[in-house]
Amino acid sequence: MTAEVRADIDAATLELSPSDQAILAVGNGGGLDAARALGYSPTEYAQRLHAARRRLRHAVVRRRRKLAWRVPAAA
């Protein structure tokens, strides 16, 4: 992963709701312990994690499209 992509992901994460940020922060590899820590059932946790990842993906795409408009075309 390039530094540019990592920066886009970090910036897009800040655009998400605090609950999405919390789920994503513990989401990778958290499993049952993460679900319990956040007060969700395992099924609800999995659904919320999936939705948070989808919203993050869309936020990254929106951000990259917005930045693409600012970059002058190569001659």
Side-chain angles (χ1 to χ4, degrees):
M1 180 179 314
T2 67
E4 180 183 356
V5 171
R6 183 75 240 172
D8 286 341
I9 292 171
D10 291 343
T13 300
L14 295 176
E15 296 174 14
L16 300 177
S17 70
S19 63
D20 280 351
Q21 291 179 24
I23 290 212
L24 291 169
V26 297
N28 295 326
L32 185 57
D33 291 334
R36 286 183 181 149
L38 294 172
Y40 300 125
S41 71
T43 302
E44 184 180 15
Y45 172 75
Q47 291 170 343
R48 288 177 179 265
L49 178 59
H50 175 73
R53 286 177 175 162
R54 187 184 67 241
R55 285 188 284 271
L56 176 61
R57 186 172 46 251
H58 287 282
V60 169
V61 168
R62 278 193 313 271
R63 179 174 172 73
R64 293 187 68 81
R65 285 181 180 161
K66 187 186 309 182
L67 292 175
W69 283 98
R70 296 180 188 166
V71 176

